[in-house]
Amino acid sequence: MRVLSESEINRIIQEGKKLSEDEGTAVLDQFEQEQPEIYQAIFGPLSDAIAEDSLDMSYLFLDLCFDIIWVHQKQFGNTLKKVAGKEWLNAKIGRLDAEMKALNEDLPMNERFRRHLQFRFVDRSAEAEIQLELLKYLENRVHNYASFERSRQSAIRITNNLLFVVAMLMAELYSEEA
């Protein structure tokens, strides 16, 4: 897997926006069949966590998760080779949770352990070849959408964090397949 440029990300996302509702549903149905655990996490606990702050932002989250799935499938193919089971997903999310907490200097943590988690996070992100331009696109969409309604602003952080989690899961899934 290779890191895509901003223009490649934009082109692929624009192609996704031109899909009919049936075609978009087919993309999600295929992903659900190939990766049921990740699909259930996205459309269950992750979107539910955002909905606690803002239902609007949870809908945006789901739309942007489609973009994440679409970009990976369109550019790198389907994920049939490796199905991420519950153990794989729990291990990845647990690791990401600890590493993301280490990035938050406000949370109390042993400094040596914090540095270890921070370095591990950077190394794993580089190994997985996370799509940085896709992350920029997602963050811009979240901030833009939240700017139209004050009630959405409380959910910006959790939405961005969970979009990062989904993007990282997809990057790791595809990098492990390669």
Side-chain angles (χ1 to χ4, degrees):
M1 189 170 90
R2 68 180 181 80
V3 176
L4 302 173
S5 69
E6 179 181 7
S7 62
E8 289 173 305
I9 294 288
N10 289 332
R11 179 187 48 78
I12 294 168
I13 288 173
Q14 290 311 310
E15 287 177 29
K17 302 259 182 256
K18 293 177 185 175
L19 295 176
S20 70
E21 188 174 330
D22 289 342
E23 291 169 325
T25 299
V27 169
L28 290 176
D29 288 347
Q30 180 178 2
F31 183 74
E32 181 181 20
Q33 288 176 348
E34 293 173 4
Q35 302 299 335
E37 296 297 331
I38 296 175
Y39 180 91
Q40 291 301 321
I42 291 169
F43 287 88
L46 299 181
S47 64
D48 291 348
I50 296 168
E52 290 177 17
D53 282 336
S54 170
L55 190 58
D56 287 348
M57 293 294 275
S58 70
Y59 294 145
L60 176 67
F61 170 79
L62 293 174
D63 287 345
L64 295 176
C65 283
F66 174 83
D67 291 342
I68 295 169
I69 293 165
W70 172 253
V71 165
H72 283 84
Q73 282 188 352
K74 181 71 176 169
Q75 187 63 37
F76 306 113
N78 297 328
T79 61
L80 291 172
K81 295 176 191 159
K82 177 175 175 55
V83 175
K86 188 168 252 158
E87 288 141 16
W88 183 92
L89 183 61
N90 288 339
K92 298 293 182 183
I93 288 179
R95 199 174 307 145
L96 271 171
D97 180 54
E99 291 167 352
M100 290 176 77
K101 285 179 180 172
L103 297 174
N104 184 350
E105 298 291 333
D106 295 336
L107 293 176
M109 184 181 291
N110 175 287
E111 285 306 311
R112 185 173 179 195
F113 185 61
R114 180 186 307 276
R115 282 191 306 279
H116 169 73
L117 289 175
Q118 289 172 342
F119 286 123
R120 187 176 78 180
F121 174 75
V122 170
D123 289 344
R124 283 186 341 99
S125 296
E127 285 174 14
E129 294 181 329
I130 193 160
Q131 300 297 325
L132 296 176
E133 293 299 331
L134 179 59
L135 290 176
K136 288 181 195 175
Y137 164 81
L138 298 170
E139 186 175 344
N140 287 337
R141 288 285 314 275
V142 167
H143 284 282
N144 185 42
Y145 187 70
S147 71
F148 291 108
E149 180 131 358
R150 189 171 186 83
S151 64
R152 297 173 183 163
Q153 294 177 2
S154 64
I156 289 174
R157 184 174 187 173
I158 190 170
T159 304
N160 280 330
N161 286 348
L162 293 180
L163 285 167
F164 175 81
V165 167
V166 173
M168 187 65 171
L169 289 173
M170 292 297 288
E172 289 191 7
L173 181 65
Y174 276 86
S175 70
E176 286 180 12
E177 278 196 6

